[in-house]
Amino acid sequence: MSDVALDALERRGIGLSVCAVSHAYRGLKALEGIDIEIPPGEVTVVVGPSGCGKSTLLGILGGLVAQEAGEVVLHGDPGADCLNPLTYVFQDFALLPWRSVAGNVSLVLEDHAMDKAARAARVAEVLALTGLTEFADAWPRQLSGGMRQRVGIARALAVRPAVLLMDEPLSALDAQTRDLLLDEFAALIARTGVTTVYVTHNLPEAVRLGHSIVVLGRRPGRVREIIRIDMPLAERRPDDTALMAIEQRLWALLRDDAAEAARELA
Amino acid sequence: MLQDRRVPFRASGYNPQTYGAISLLTLIATIALWQLAASQGWISTQFASSPEAILQSLRNLYASGELWEHLSASLQRLAIGWVIGTITGIIFGLLLGLFSIARSSGMALVSALFPIPKIALVPLFIIWFGIGEGSKIVTLVFGVFFPTVINTVAGVDAVPRGLIRMGQSFGLRPLSIVAKIVLPGALPSIFAGFRITTATAIVLLVAAEMIGAEHGIGAFVLQAGNLYATDDLLAGIVVLSLLGLCVSFVVGQLERVLLRWR
């Protein structure tokens, strides 16, 4: 990704507290007593087996799911230019097919009092940052999955988010695109320092991006363990033995639940 | 012992194409056959006229100014009735598509009123709105309104919920969500409705003009029929067919422009 205007996107000092959050769907407990501190400027990855409530938790953080109990508190001032403090990046991209790439990115900006030139400048800035400048006028249907997700990222960055909420953003992509985009995410997050909550079931993604990895157990989803990784994102390599050991530890924690989930889904 | 065999291709067919030349040839051949049948006396021109006579009748109607007199009256009614029916239909469709109470009450009414053949209501509209323009316009509005409502509701229902959630997650205002997500998302279904409502509107226009109108293609066709002037009658029908084709072309062009993202 381009270096253009990275400084303008830097946003530090915004953290989140998830306090005793519980949720149920039609009487079935999905999440119970979730307490997590999401430190400012860090990536908190949430992993867990299918049906453990990872996406529900992210929905609660983003205000898209009303929790039954507990609260989510945002710490710090997102700044005057932040148009949407808690900003989602969606698994299925959620792009408007009737808007061009630039149109999708400017969608939210149009809803705010911002003159045309400032809006165009901000759109150009995030398109450059995500390597989409030459695709500004393309329709989403003309783009590959990886490029569509770049548009999703550009749209999210355009609102100067305080916290990025990423819901399995790479799961709809092929393995090669996923690896490439994962490196770009890591670089972008490291450079901007934006606080990020990243939900995934993919353990290599978790150890590649996470400063903290929250492991959820299933039915109801509870925090089983929180693993810290202090290695800087820029230094992480897929063949790093320390990271591989953490990945194995995560798998050991999740294996039984994942097997149970697979049997249930089958 | 097994023999080597080439694997045959099995996936042909089930993918019909339209060849323009064949379409045109079919149309020309049909008209030529009709002309031949009329000139050879195989069919009675008293009942079916001939393409040549119909063309002559159209020329005469054009030269006398009668064609424009009837056509302009019909076009005016069609435009006013269709536009009012479409705009109100889209507004009601959006309300029914977005709000539970509007949907609960509105869909019951729409379901009850939609199946009524609108032509049956023309005499009632004449009692309510008089024999003049009012009853004819209301007939068209009524005929266009219900399919538009139904297609708009279906269109709103077809908008992926994920896109609406996206708008909400970015804190878009409710009106922006409707204008920038729901309405454009419902547009393909609304346009599918336009194809139905333009055809319905022409049918109702002719029916309404046949009951108490001095001018209009429907009135002209009825008058020609009463006089056994099959040349004029069929000329009127040709005008209606061309009108239908023109309207369909305009809708198609609008669709190409507004739905070019598909």
Side-chain angles (χ1 to χ4, degrees):
Chain A
M1 293 193 184
S2 153
D3 287 342
V4 175
L6 272 169
D7 290 344
L9 288 163
E10 283 189 7
R11 189 162 303 285
R12 295 193 176 86
I14 304 298
L16 273 177
S17 294
V18 181
C19 312
V21 163
S22 295
H23 190 66
Y25 287 110
R26 294 185 191 131
L28 188 71
K29 277 270 180 199
L31 292 168
E32 192 169 70
I34 303 288
D35 285 296
I36 310 170
E37 281 300 318
I38 293 160
E42 287 197 356
V43 181
T44 302
V45 176
V46 181
V47 295
S50 296
C52 74
K54 310 185 283 290
S55 293
T56 303
L57 177 60
L58 203 68
I60 291 169
L61 297 187
L64 294 182
V65 176
Q67 71 268 28
E68 283 198 337
E71 60 178 358
V72 179
V73 181
L74 187 73
H75 305 292
D77 176 15
D81 63 343
C82 173
L83 304 179
N84 190 48
L86 294 151
T87 296
Y88 249 83
V89 175
F90 294 85
Q91 182 179 359
D92 61 356
F93 325 126
L95 301 180
L96 301 180
W98 48 87
R99 280 183 166 239
S100 66
V101 166
N104 269 282
V105 174
S106 70
L107 173 76
V108 187
L109 309 183
E110 293 162 17
D111 234 31
H112 292 83
M114 185 184 270
D115 66 63
K116 264 191 170 178
R119 190 164 67 220
R122 200 185 275 200
V123 170
E125 172 191 291
V126 291
L127 288 182
L129 191 66
T130 47
L132 288 167
T133 301
E134 60 187 297
F135 301 97
D137 297 325
W139 298 111
R141 69 174 158 80
Q142 297 173 301
L143 303 177
S144 66
M147 295 298 275
R148 288 182 204 183
Q149 193 54 287
R150 284 166 188 254
V151 182
I153 299 277
R155 178 180 59 193
L157 294 176
V159 300
R160 305 275 198 266
V163 181
L164 273 184
L165 303 171
M166 305 178 91
D167 186 10
E168 305 206 37
L170 302 178
S171 65
L173 307 177
D174 64 81
Q176 290 166 2
T177 308
R178 202 159 55 216
D179 284 349
L180 291 170
L181 216 53
L182 186 59
D183 286 342
E184 293 187 11
F185 280 3
L188 189 72
I189 290 167
R191 294 289 301 277
T192 59
V194 63
T195 307
T196 303
V197 183
Y198 190 103
V199 162
T200 184
H201 61 270
N202 183 299
L203 301 184
E205 274 176 42
V207 296
R208 177 79 181 84
L209 288 179
H211 295 99
S212 300
I213 301 175
V214 178
V215 182
L216 292 186
R218 66 191 298 270
R219 298 285 160 79
R222 290 195 186 98
V223 177
R224 292 188 64 179
E225 195 163 332
I226 297 176
I227 296 173
R228 286 285 308 172
I229 308 178
D230 291 321
M231 186 188 295
L233 295 188
E235 292 173 18
R236 297 186 190 184
R237 299 284 171 270
D239 56 353
D240 187 286
T241 49
L243 293 180
M244 286 166 78
I246 294 171
E247 197 180 315
Q248 282 171 6
R249 191 170 147 210
L250 285 169
W251 180 230
L253 281 166
L254 290 169
R255 190 185 179 105
D256 290 347
D257 274 355
E260 203 180 311
R263 275 196 300 275
E264 194 172 285
L265 289 170
Chain B
M1 192 176 154
L2 287 173
Q3 284 188 328
D4 293 340
R5 283 188 302 167
R6 267 185 83 164
V7 176
F9 176 61
R10 295 181 289 183
S12 63
Y14 303 102
N15 184 24
Q17 309 289 316
T18 304
Y19 301 110
I22 295 179
S23 306
L24 192 67
L25 267 176
T26 308
L27 207 61
I28 292 168
T30 306
I31 293 170
L33 191 67
W34 181 7
Q35 179 63 42
L36 185 72
S39 58
Q40 296 297 312
W42 299 339
I43 55 170
S44 163
T45 49
Q46 194 186 347
F47 294 107
S49 195
S50 73
E52 196 184 4
I54 293 166
L55 192 65
Q56 186 55 49
S57 171
L58 279 171
R59 275 201 202 113
N60 295 340
L61 286 168
Y62 177 73
S64 66
E66 209 180 340
L67 178 65
W68 180 243
E69 195 178 26
H70 290 297
L71 191 60
S72 61
S74 290
L75 283 175
Q76 200 176 336
R77 289 174 190 134
L78 189 67
I80 295 172
W82 187 82
V83 167
I84 295 174
T86 296
I87 291 173
T88 51
I90 290 174
I91 292 170
F92 271 78
L94 284 174
L95 292 173
L96 265 58
L98 290 170
F99 301 105
S100 301
I101 291 177
R103 176 178 291 233
S104 308
S105 52
M107 279 314 276
L109 281 175
V110 169
S111 303
L113 295 173
F114 177 59
I116 298 171
K118 308 301 174 289
I119 293 171
L121 295 172
V122 176
L124 185 68
F125 289 150
I126 289 174
I127 293 171
W128 285 355
F129 301 102
I131 195 81
E133 291 303 298
S135 58
K136 293 169 187 59
I137 301 288
V138 169
T139 305
L140 261 74
V141 169
F142 210 68
V144 169
F145 175 79
F146 289 101
T148 305
V149 170
I150 288 168
N151 273 65
T152 306
V153 173
V156 172
D157 287 349
V159 177
R161 295 298 104 170
L163 295 182
I164 295 172
R165 291 285 168 272
M166 180 277 294
Q168 291 176 316
S169 82
F170 275 95
L172 289 185
R173 288 190 296 261
L175 261 179
S176 293
I177 290 177
V178 173
K180 293 173 182 172
I181 298 176
V182 176
L183 192 56
L187 216 50
S189 177
I190 293 173
F191 262 98
F194 283 1
R195 293 197 176 277
I196 299 167
T197 55
T198 46
T200 308
I202 292 173
V203 171
L204 290 173
L205 170 78
V206 173
E209 285 178 346
M210 281 182 170
I211 304 175
E214 200 176 329
H215 298 297
I217 300 295
F220 173 75
V221 167
L222 184 72
Q223 204 178 357
N226 289 341
L227 297 171
Y228 270 83
T230 47
D231 297 356
D232 285 349
L233 191 155
L234 287 167
I237 287 168
V238 167
V239 170
L240 286 172
S241 170
L242 290 175
L243 178 65
L245 282 174
C246 288
V247 168
S248 173
F249 176 77
V250 170
V251 172
Q253 289 303 304
L254 262 176
E255 202 172 346
R256 270 184 59 181
V257 173
L258 292 174
L259 302 181
R260 64 189 187 282
W261 49 271
R262 289 204 294 184

